[in-house]
Amino acid sequence: MAYQNSFGVVRDLEFRGGSAKYYSLPALQQSGFPGVARLPYSLKILLENLLRHEDGAAVKPGDIQALANWDHATDIEKEIAFTPARVLLQDFTGVPAVVDLAAMRDAMARLGGDPNRVNPLQPMELVIDHSVQVDHFGTPDAFHLNADLEYARNRERYTFLRWGQNAFANFRVVPPETGIVHQVNLEYLARVVFNAERDGVAWAYPDTLVGTDSHTTMVNGLGVVGWGVGGIEAEAAMLGQPISMLIPPVLGFRLHGSLPAGTTATDLVLTVTERLRKHGVVGKFVEFYGPGLASLSLADRATLSNMCPEYGATVAIFPIDAMTIDYLRLTGRDEAAVALVEAYARAQGLFADEESPEADYNEVIELDLGSVEPSLAGPKRPQDRVALSAAKAAFAAALPQMLAERKKPAGAPAAAPDAPGPAIEHGAVVVAAITSCTNTSNPSVLVAAGLVAKKAVERGLTRKPWVKTSLAPGSKVVTEYLEKAGLSTYLDAVGFNLVGYGCTTCIGNSGPLPDEVAAQIEARGLIVASVLSGNRNFEGRVQPLVRANYLASPPLVVAYALAGTMTLDLTTEPLGADKAGAPVFLKDIWPTEQEVQECIAGSITAGMYRGVYAGVFEGDARWKAITPPAGDRFAWDDGSTYVRNPPYFDGLTIEAPPPQPIAGARVLAVLGDSITTDHISPAGNIKADSPAGQYLQDRGVRPKDFNQYGARRGNHEVMMRGTFANIRLRNQLVPGTEGGMTAFLPGGEVMPIYDAAMRYKAAGVPLVILAGKEYGSGSSRDWAAKGTALLGVKAVIAESFERIHRSNLVNMGLLPLQFLPGESAAALGLTGHETFEIVGAADALTPRGTVTVRATSDGGSTTSFEARVRIDTPEELVAFRNGGILPYVLRQLLKKK
C-alpha cells in the first residue's frame, strides 16, 4: 500500500538505541493547524493514524483537516477511517474468529480467488484465558486438577487454534494457564509505541488496537488507544479493512486530591462507573487528567480504564507520563523500547507533565478522590454502587424483588431441611472469588487481600464452610510476589488457593456449588450471593443458583468470605471471634497503606516479569503435546460438536444481491431495559433440557461433557440454539416466565425461542425484536448478533443501543432502529402481537436517517411511527447492503488485483 504525505509532516526521530521516521503532529500544527496542540490526547492518536494511512481513498486530506480543525464547542458528525496497529483476542471470541477466517478461505477458493489472501495483515495475538473453570477449590492441588479438566474439555478447540497458528501469518497464541488477556497485554504485549519496518525504513507510531473483548480498554491506562469490538469487526480489521467511525465527542474527567485511607482503586472505579453511567458517555471517549493522576499508580489507572464498558464509553484513556515510563521498566520492557516510548511521546506532544497545556474537551466533570468511600456494586449491575456501610440495608431492600422473581420451589420448607452441611439463609455468600483482570493486575489490592487473610488467620478466623473461595490471578507474576511476600500461605489458609490463571468466576466459569449448598438453595428457594473482584455481575452470569452478585475489591472479597453473609454490616458488626472469644471487626484486620506499600516494595521486581514472560508463547507439556492438522485450509469434521463450518458464506456471490424488504415480520421477543449480551448469548452453563442441550445429547454428548456456551462458540448449531437462552431472560410476550421462551404467533403457543424461530423461518416470516434502553450492554460478544441473525431476525427496535452491539448488528446485516426520544414500545401501545413493516428498508436507508415503521394488530388496526436508523456511517451502510462486513470484505478481496 502506497501512502501519501500531503501535509509534508514526515520527520526523523532520534532516541537512545536507534532512529526512525514518524508523522509529526507538531509539524502539522506549524503548517496551519494551531488547534492540534490543544487536541485531547486520544484525538491526537487518531490524527496521527489518519496522517500515516492517507491513501486518497479510505483516508483523504479532508479527513485530516477535519480532525486537525476539531472544535470542542461544535458538534461534528464526520466519518473517519481508523486502522489499528494490531488485534487482540481471547479464546471465547478468538475461536469463532479463526473459524470465520477458515470459512472465508473456503469461500474464496469456491469463488475462484486465492484463499491465502485471507490472512491477517498486522499482528493478531490471542490469549487463552476464558476456558478454565473452578471445579476444584480450597485445596493445594486445585490448580492442577482444574488445568487437567480444562485440557480434557477443550482439546479439540486448542487443536484448532494450533492449526490456525500455523496456517495464518502474523498470528500468535498465548497458551492456557498463563494469564488473563488484558493483564498479559498490559504487562507484556502492549508496545505503547511501535518501531516497525516498512519498505526497508523504520517507522515509529503509536500502539493502537481493537480487541474482541470489551475490556480491551484496560490498556488505555498505559496510554494506548484501543477498544473492544465484536469478532466480525476485528476479523475485518485483521484483513485490512479500516474501522469506520464518527469523530467522537471527548469528555475530560478531572481528578484531584487523593484516595482516603482504607479505600482502594476498586472503590474508585465503582464510584466512577456509577457517575459516568448516570451522566451518559455511550459513544464518547473519556480522558482522565488533573493533579489527582499523580497519586494513582499505573495499575490504579488500568483498573479505571478496565471498567470503561461498564460506564459505556468507547475508551477511558490516560496520557503517557513518568508513571508510564516507570511501569514499563518495572514490567521488564527492553530499555531501547522504553527510550523510544519517551522520546516519541515528547516529540509528539503526547507526554504529560506539569508544563503540558490543558486540552480542550467537549465537556468536563470532576471528582475529588478524597470523597471516595469503601464500596460494592450490585446485586445485578456494575453501575449500582452501594457504600460498604449501607450494603446490609441495600441487600435487605433488594431481597423482596429478588424473591418475587424467583421460581418458587414446590412446598419449600420454611426452615433448613435435615441435610448434610451447614444451614444457610437468604443473603448467604456462597461464592467469594478473587478474579478478573480488573483487580488482579493491581498489586496494591492483591497484597491488601493477602494482608487481610494474614491478620484474620492470626486472630483465628477462617472462611465460612458454605463459601466457595477461589484465587484466579491474571498473571503468574501475581503468585510469585504473593509467595515472596509470604502471603500465599495465609490466603490458602482461608480457602483462597490458586485455582487457575484465567477469567473464571468473572466470565461465569465459577463451577458448581458444593452439593449440600446447592441442595439447600434449590429446596428452599434461597436468595444467595456472590462477592467477586470482577467487572460484571449481570443476572444469570456468575453462577446459575446465585441471584445477588456484588463486585468488590479483593480485600473485601476475603472479608465477605469470613463473614459468610450479606446480612452483616462489616463496618459495625464483628466478622467473628478470635481464639480468646473477643470480637474481631473488619477494621482490626484491614491493613494500612504503609503496610501495603512496604510489602509491595519488598516483593516485586522487574526480573519477575522478565522471567514469567520469557517463554510466554511456549506453553506447558500439555500444550506442546497437541499435534495440529497440516494445511492452509481446515479439514472440517461433520461430527465435531466444537468446530463447524459456519453458514455465513453459503451461496455468496461476487456481486451483492439487492437488499430485501422487511414486511409481515413477527416479534420474537419483547424485552425491557439493560438487556445485556449475556441475556442474548449466554457464556455459561448449557441446560440439558434446552434446545442446545438436546442438540448435544442427540450427538452423543453427555450433560457432564457439555462444557460452556462460550467454549462452543465454534459451533453455530449450538450457539443459535443458545441465543436468548439466558435463564434470567424475561420476554414480555410470555409474562411470568424466565428463560428463553416466547409465544409463537398468531396462535400464542408457548415454546423455546429457537423452536419458534425455526417455525417462522420455515414459513418465510421475518422477525424483529422490541427492546428498551441500553440494549446489548456488557460483553463484546459478536454471537449476540450472529445468533440473532441465524434465528431469522432482520431488525432490532430499541430505545437505545450500547456501542459494540449496535456495530455487531450492522456487521451481521441486521438493521438497528431506535425509537425517537420519548417513544417506546409501551408508549406506542405495542404489545408484540402485531406484524411489522419497515418502509424503505430495502432501498431508502441513510446513515442516522429515519424510516417509517408500521405495526398492524391482528384486528387490523395500524400504528405508524418514525424510528432512527442506527447505521451511523456511509461505510457501515455499504457493509449492511452487502449482508454484513465479512461478505463485504471477501468481495473486496476477490476484486483486488
Side-chain angles (χ1 to χ4, degrees), residues 26-36 68-69:
L28 182 65
Q29 175 190 335
Q30 293 161 12
S31 67
F33 299 95
V36 168
N69 287 322

Side-chain angles (χ1 to χ4, degrees), residues 33-119:
F33 299 95
V36 168
R38 293 182 64 86
L39 282 178
Y41 176 96
S42 53
L43 295 191
K44 287 183 178 179
I45 300 295
L46 293 184
L47 180 57
E48 188 281 340
N49 196 274
L50 294 179
L51 285 168
R52 186 162 35 89
H53 291 97
E54 182 196 355
D55 60 359
V59 180
K60 302 179 177 67
D63 302 329
I64 295 168
Q65 292 170 345
L67 187 49
N69 287 322
W70 179 82
D71 182 359
H72 70 283
T74 304
D75 290 333
I76 181 173
E77 285 199 358
K78 170 64 179 175
E79 181 187 20
I80 58 172
F82 169 65
T83 304
R86 59 189 175 100
V87 176
L88 185 69
L89 307 96
Q90 38 91 339
D91 57 300
F92 269 17
T93 51
V95 168
V98 179
V99 165
D100 290 351
L101 293 177
M104 288 181 76
R105 279 192 170 176
D106 288 351
M108 178 72 87
R110 189 169 59 250
L111 292 170
D114 178 4
N116 288 317
R117 298 196 63 178
V118 178
N119 203 79

Side-chain angles (χ1 to χ4, degrees), residues 354-369:
E354 294 179 355
E355 299 178 1
S356 300
E358 191 169 295
D360 293 326
Y361 299 106
N362 295 97
E363 52 184 331
V364 172
I365 61 177
E366 296 196 25
L367 177 67
D368 177 2
L369 296 176

Side-chain angles (χ1 to χ4, degrees), residues 12 27 39 48 76 197 295 342 358 405 433 451 466 485 555 592 625 627 641 662 698 749 751 764 771 829 856 869 894:
D12 293 308
L39 282 178
E48 188 281 340
I76 181 173
E197 189 174 291
S295 68
E342 182 166 3
E358 191 169 295
E405 292 170 349
L451 289 171
W466 56 81
T592 65
T627 303
T641 58
I662 300 174
D698 289 346
E749 181 184 353
M751 63 182 65
T856 303
V869 175
L894 281 163

Side-chain angles (χ1 to χ4, degrees), residues 67 70 154 220 293 371 470 501 647 673 676 695 699 707 760 828 833:
L67 187 49
W70 179 82
N154 296 285
N220 296 167
L293 265 60
S371 67
S470 59
Y501 296 96
D673 295 339
T676 70
Y695 167 87
R699 280 147 187 82
N707 212 331
Y760 284 125
L828 291 166
H833 289 260

